[in-house]
Amino acid sequence: MPGYTRRRFLRDAAVGGVYLQSGWLLGCSDQGGVGTPAAPGCRPGLRSNIGNLGPLGEPDRFGVRVPPGFTVRRVAAEGAAPVAGRDYRWHEKPDGGACFAAPDGGWVYVSNSEKNDIHDAAGVGALRFDADGTLVDAYPILTGSTKNCAGGATPWGTWLSCEETDSGYVYECFPLGTAADAVKLPALGKFQHEACAIDPLADPMHVYMTEDQRNDAGFNGGLFYRFVPAANVADGSRPDLTRGLLQAAVVDPGDIFTPRAVRWVDVPNPEPVDLVRHEAVLRATRYQVPRGEHFDGGEGIWYHAADHGIVFSTKGDNRLWRYDIGAATVQAIYDDDSSPENILSALDNVIMTPDGDIVCCEDGDDTQVVAITPDGRQVPMLQLLGNGEPAGPSFSPDGQRLYVSGYSGPSGPGDSRNLGATYEIAGPWFVCADADA
């Protein structure tokens, strides 16, 4: 999309409310804030229908299983041009992603590439849809990075893409911009970044981050981080992410299912020098706060407006955690070993609905996307058979489409290749809140 500068993007974001990922559908709920239009005829808005989904059906030609009443469209496949006649081709290993509403009523779905390549061949791609859901453009918004795993959307309409390597950084990307617009953010630290979530009520807004480092092979797990910007940008529209304090959570001992007090300690050197491995361990970011809580493989993270809290997952021990921002406490809210009835395992990417459903992708196990409803039920939403891990879940502005990617999977009848792909699952994920109106 030539000529679409950062300045123009931020201007349109302020006017059109392009931010969707944590504020999406707020215009259709009772939580307030800038939102997107409700589906036609919905008064006063939308409510989650996830708790009413039926059992998953038979796999389609791409190995995707969905509930009754839903359809599957493959919108992009590794190595192929998503839009006919265009040069841009979809990336390998599509991972974390998010939807952003656009000023014309359409939206953009952005997707990381977790390709781990010494030639920095990963980055972030974007799929541009018009107001009718037609795919009209595809283009890169970040190049020259490696192993971009997950990330997080910001309230000012940008995508924070995370590199999951020992020398990994966070990059700010512009969904309606170009790769040249992307900005590297060293102040957010150098470590195995996994995902980000923004607390929009802090001033300046705080960035919470997970670290995908497991408790194995003699290495401690990743820390739970918070970045506190020093100030807002000059016009006050957003925090300045180029300077501030990187902090790590120190957690009181005790029962993990009981709220434990958290205090935040500054990381002395957020950008340690690369050293040979045995020396780097001593100076790595996660070892600079001696009493920091080492979580076993930090994964997805989400800010939930309704209760002003942060939910994040850890794959090493298959748990969900909640950080209560106001109370400054953390506790485990799900553990797959706590009940033989649990469906959800191999926890990875996490998003939430305004109604409080926790939607989690499984990196392993039976590669499902599973929701935990507010009343504690576990509901399979879809399954990618033979697709590696499902990743990058995100709903379109109208709540009727869920985008999700798979590392690899069937290419279709008569084609034996396994390709990474991004899918659109359309159906009644959300319904009119006042169905009888």
Side-chain angles (χ1 to χ4, degrees), residues 111-159:
S111 170
N112 285 346
S113 169
E114 203 182 6
K115 184 176 181 180
N116 190 8
D117 193 296
I118 60 173
H119 302 295
D120 297 328
V124 183
L127 301 173
R128 176 73 158 90
F129 299 87
D130 67 16
D132 295 325
T134 301
L135 181 60
V136 295
D137 202 2
Y139 47 91
I141 59 171
L142 175 65
T143 57
S145 59
T146 188
K147 203 175 183 184
N148 294 78
C149 192
T154 70
W156 53 93
T158 62
W159 170 246

Side-chain angles (χ1 to χ4, degrees), residues 162-173:
C162 294
E163 290 182 312
E164 188 197 325
T165 70
D166 288 334
S167 300
Y169 288 96
V170 177
Y171 294 79
E172 184 169 27
C173 310

